[in-house]
Amino acid sequence: IVSIWSVRGEALLITTYQLELSARLMPSDGYKLYAWLLAQIPSDVAEALHSQQDHPISQFVTFDKEKDTSIWNIHLLSTEASALFAPAIESIETISLHTGEISVVSKQPKTEIQFEDIIRQARQTTSLCTEIQFRSAASFKQNGRYVIFPQEKLILQSLVNRWNSFCEEYPLCDPDALCMLESGIYIRDYALKSVRYHLKNVYIPAFVGKVTLDSRLPVPLAELWHAILLWADYSGIGIKTALGMGGANVRFL
């Protein structure tokens, strides 16, 4: 993969948390949890983070039917974000929302991943077929309009843009390689459902479900594609991933 991009800078760290919550939350409650989390850090820092285009956090809520509890999935996408949010996350016992107080039932031990780990795993993956499960409402914005079908180009653009925002030591900066990559991947199957994500007074058109992608790529580009897919587990896909949208899990078939 190193032949595709240049390497520079120091390694960055991704930190992930999974909290089991006592209340049965709606997926759109992810925005309320994000607002609560921002309130736990200095207000000037929170305002600066919220106003920037690329947020160093992605998070979303899912529901565990077996346990009858909600799961809050949090991914901190930079070393700085980890230093800022980790103390608040690790000390959470209750969360006060306007709808009531929520208890943290349990926490999975935090996981720390370096971008080198993603690169290493990508090199070890040989699969040509991948399933992306969209676990929270996902959507894209193109030409000022919402797009509620996960087109190959939009998936790739979303992941590459966020990769370049947070992984400066491995920039994806070869337009020819990215163009070849886009032409070598395609959606083979999908099982999607349209939904609306309630954000303040707006209902954003979106979708949930899964897509299966096939690829026909030479080895260096295949490794690059695998790395980008592995990154999707942490960054999310599409718009407003800091606000609870676009949570994704990738499975190599």
Side-chain angles (χ1 to χ4, degrees), residues 24-247:
R24 182 167 187 165
L25 300 177
M26 299 293 291
S28 56
D29 287 323
Y31 174 69
K32 300 173 186 175
L33 293 172
Y34 167 75
W36 180 88
L37 188 57
L38 283 188
Q40 310 310 304
I41 63 175
S43 58
D44 57 334
V45 178
E47 184 176 350
L49 284 175
H50 188 58
S51 62
Q52 69 185 45
Q53 183 175 359
D54 290 312
H55 297 259
I57 178 173
S58 70
Q59 57 85 29
F60 62 96
V61 178
T62 56
F63 184 72
D64 189 321
K65 292 182 179 179
E66 292 184 1
K67 295 184 178 180
D68 195 34
T69 57
S70 298
I71 306 298
W72 188 14
N73 305 273
I74 307 171
H75 306 293
L76 306 177
L77 304 179
S78 69
T79 306
E80 293 78 11
S82 297
L84 185 62
F85 288 106
I89 295 171
E90 291 173 9
S91 64
I92 296 174
E93 294 183 358
T94 58
I95 300 170
S96 297
L97 303 180
H98 74 275
T99 52
E101 194 168 86
I102 301 170
S103 299
V104 177
V105 177
S106 66
K107 300 177 187 176
Q108 293 290 333
K110 73 175 181 181
T111 304
E112 294 182 335
I113 304 98
Q114 292 185 339
F115 277 90
E116 284 81 357
D117 298 327
I118 294 177
I119 303 301
R120 191 178 304 111
Q121 188 176 347
R123 288 193 172 116
Q124 297 170 352
T125 302
T126 59
S127 175
L128 300 177
C129 187
T130 312
E131 179 184 278
I132 301 178
Q133 180 80 40
F134 293 93
R135 302 187 64 202
S136 67
S139 188
F140 301 93
K141 203 85 178 281
Q142 187 179 52
N143 299 324
R145 301 182 65 178
Y146 292 110
V147 179
I148 58 171
F149 184 82
Q151 302 168 18
E152 297 91 340
K153 180 177 182 179
L154 296 178
I155 293 173
L156 183 60
Q157 284 180 343
S158 171
L159 293 172
V160 168
N161 287 342
R162 287 178 64 73
W163 178 291
N164 285 334
S165 292
F166 299 106
C167 186
E168 296 180 355
E169 73 273 23
Y170 289 108
L172 301 177
C173 54
D174 187 333
D176 292 333
L178 294 176
C179 184
M180 292 172 60
L181 178 56
E182 181 186 329
S183 64
I185 60 176
Y186 60 95
I187 294 175
R188 187 184 72 187
D189 294 303
Y190 61 87
L192 302 171
K193 180 177 72 172
S194 61
V195 295
R196 295 290 186 270
Y197 191 79
H198 186 199
L199 188 62
K200 296 183 179 180
N201 296 319
V202 177
Y203 289 86
I204 298 176
F207 61 88
V208 293
K210 63 183 178 180
V211 297
T212 303
L213 294 110
D214 279 350
S215 62
R216 296 292 182 269
L217 298 164
V219 172
L221 284 177
E223 292 179 354
L224 173 60
W225 174 230
H226 293 152
I228 293 171
L229 285 169
L230 290 166
W231 163 242
D233 270 350
Y234 310 108
S235 71
I237 299 175
I239 62 173
K240 303 186 186 301
T241 52
L243 308 185
M245 297 186 68

